Amino acid sequence: MATTVRQIDRFRSSIAPFSRFFGGPIWARNAEPGIANFAVGNPQEMPLPAYVEALAGALQPLDKDWFAYKLSEPRSQATVARSLSERTGMDWEPADVAMTNGGFAALAVTFRAILEPGDEVVFLSPPWFFYELLILAAGGVPVRFRLDPPAFDLDPEAIAAAITPRTRAVLVNTPHNPTGRIYSPEALRAVGDVLTEAGRRHDHTIYLVSDEPYNRIVFDGRRFHSPAEVYPATIVTYSFGKTLLAPGMRIGYVTMPPTMPDRESLRDALFTAQIATGFAFPNALLQHAIEDLEGLSIDVGALERRRDRMVRALRDMGYATTNPEGTFYVMAQAPIDDDMAFGEQLADHGVLVLPGTVVEAPGWFRISLTASDEMVERGLPGFEAARAAAGSRTTA
């Protein structure tokens, strides 16, 4: 029992910045009338009508098992495999697709399937909120690989230095939340070469876990390339909640390319992990609607225009910012060292952002582009007023 208590304490510590923010004074302002909420990637406008129609069309039961227990439905697997094959040029097999209740579950299932107690997972920092927690919960050891601002580039040599005989996986998030970087095939191939060499040296496969929930949210005519295209032992996790901007409707998947070694045993491990993770399959309705959902997307062009508006306006005010290549997010440098304090100052001016400390990027803050255009125009004077009140600092 003592060990369990210590584990829970460590789990709680890993998400303490997240808990402090969403239980703190900045997020408490969310309910105030007129607040401009750029803090998280939630919808600020009504859902896509076609999304609602797809769910409504799948709601009418066609047989007695319509709402019975569902595993990975063959139609769901075939739909995803077909889409992956079209987008990657590889021949994806439906049997290699495990449908999950969101990308969160896809990662949890992956780590349970591939990790033994004490195995290490190298992950990018700044990270998504819960990478460390999910690695710990599967018995793994989190190892950070820090991306240096303002470019937040991958450094294969630094990743190589982080690998030890206990390394079982390297977790890459591309397009990257929170920075918006999309890592090129050349950069991903270099990381794959590092993992291939390290796997030979340590006599075991080192997986590349590619977390790709934003792989269709890309800007400026770019084409997204998955690490699965260049490194055989890649496991891909995905959530439909980003492309559809419906994060509360939990459907995603974990999958592997046809190049994956020992695919059959990994299929079995993933299935077992789905059961052990609390029946981590999507609900019946979302799987029935999958063929319609797969072809839908929010207006990426509108997000790109919003990015251009935000970046240009913030830089004119004197902020240093990223210019994201994809995702929902812009990162900006706070004009004072304490990004949490500056987040409170912004809230005083009617603007909510996510302080960088919450995602291991102190001195920065994250802005979500899922805000409406009206909210952007309403919020920009608040950014300007808060910066003027804070004075200036040397920026990156």
Side-chain angles (χ1 to χ4, degrees):
M1 180 63 181
T3 300
T4 301
V5 169
R6 286 197 298 271
Q7 288 174 335
I8 293 297
D9 285 344
R10 190 172 181 191
F11 297 167
R12 187 181 297 122
S13 176
S14 74
I15 61 168
F18 173 89
S19 300
R20 282 196 298 270
F21 174 74
F22 286 99
I26 299 175
W27 188 249
R29 311 286 288 272
N30 181 44
E32 293 181 4
I35 203 78
N37 186 348
F38 299 91
V40 294
N42 268 333
Q44 300 295 339
E45 299 175 301
M46 294 300 287
L48 291 170
Y51 181 79
V52 179
E53 291 168 9
L55 296 184
L59 187 58
Q60 185 63 39
L62 300 183
D63 57 56
K64 67 178 180 60
D65 294 323
W66 201 248
F67 300 125
Y69 285 111
K70 300 298 178 188
L71 303 175
S72 294
E73 290 290 282
R75 190 168 68 173
S76 296
Q77 293 173 296
T79 298
V80 169
R82 183 171 60 251
S83 175
L84 286 164
S85 297
E86 291 170 355
R87 288 187 285 116
T88 66
M90 306 171 76
D91 189 15
W92 232 272
E93 291 192 18
D96 290 330
V97 177
M99 303 301 300
T100 61
N101 49 334
F104 200 130
L107 285 165
V109 165
T110 297
F111 293 138
R112 278 182 178 255
I114 65 174
L115 298 183
E116 297 287 344
D119 282 351
E120 296 172 356
V121 179
V122 178
F123 68 97
L124 306 186
S125 176
W128 177 59
F129 307 116
F130 302 119
Y131 287 151
E132 182 179 24
L133 174 64
L134 293 175
I135 295 164
L136 289 169
V141 177
V143 178
R144 285 169 174 76
F145 164 67
R146 299 200 180 275
L147 304 173
D148 294 329
F152 299 100
D153 282 330
L154 283 178
D155 182 346
E157 292 183 3
I159 291 176
I163 292 174
T164 76
R166 294 295 300 176
T167 302
R168 176 57 64 181
V170 171
L171 170 59
V172 173
N173 172 216
T174 180
H176 182 248
N177 171 14
T179 70
R181 286 301 311 274
I182 298 175
Y183 296 113
S184 69
E186 293 75 23
L188 297 171
R189 187 174 290 107
V191 172
D193 290 344
V194 165
L195 303 192
T196 298
E197 194 281 327
R200 291 192 188 116
R201 188 169 67 250
H202 300 305
D203 197 29
H204 66 254
T205 297
I206 299 178
Y207 296 103
L208 197 162
V209 179
S210 182
D211 186 27
E212 304 180 7
Y214 297 95
N215 66 20
R216 286 185 253 187
I217 312 295
V218 299
F219 305 142
D220 304 312
R222 289 180 174 85
R223 181 186 168 198
F224 171 78
H225 290 276
S226 172
E229 297 173 38
V230 296
Y231 183 65
T234 296
I235 299 172
V236 174
T237 61
Y238 181 76
S239 168
F240 286 91
K242 308 304 182 185
T243 307
L244 301 174
L245 196 50
M249 302 295 284
R250 310 298 297 167
I251 184 167
Y253 56 79
V254 52
T255 187
M256 60 192 124
T259 54
M260 173 67 73
D262 300 322
R263 278 191 295 157
E264 291 76 10
S265 61
L266 188 52
R267 287 175 190 168
D268 292 341
L270 289 170
F271 178 78
T272 302
Q274 285 182 277
I275 304 296
T277 306
F279 211 74
F281 300 94
N283 71 38
L285 178 62
L286 290 168
Q287 293 206 68
H288 292 318
I290 190 67
E291 289 175 321
D292 290 329
L293 300 183
E294 170 61 32
L296 298 178
S297 174
I298 57 171
D299 189 342
V300 176
L303 287 175
E304 184 177 326
R305 291 189 294 274
R306 208 167 290 146
R307 175 207 63 177
D308 293 344
R309 173 70 174 129
M310 290 293 299
V311 167
R312 183 171 58 250
L314 291 171
R315 289 179 176 178
D316 287 347
M317 295 173 197
Y319 288 96
T321 79
T322 59
N323 190 43
E325 298 163 328
T327 76
F328 291 163
Y329 309 111
V330 173
M331 292 287 285
Q333 194 170 33
I336 60 176
D337 290 332
D338 189 338
D339 56 275
M340 293 293 286
F342 187 66
E344 293 186 30
Q345 293 174 26
L346 281 169
D348 289 340
H349 291 278
V351 173
L352 300 189
V353 300
L354 187 77
T357 294
V358 181
V359 289
E360 301 180 11
W364 292 74
F365 58 91
R366 192 190 74 176
I367 299 163
S368 175
L369 298 172
T370 59
S372 66
D373 291 337
E374 182 276 331
M375 189 176 288
V376 168
E377 299 307 321
R378 178 159 40 90
L380 285 174
F383 284 103
E384 188 166 24
R387 177 165 179 82
S392 62
R393 60 170 279 183
T394 302
T395 56

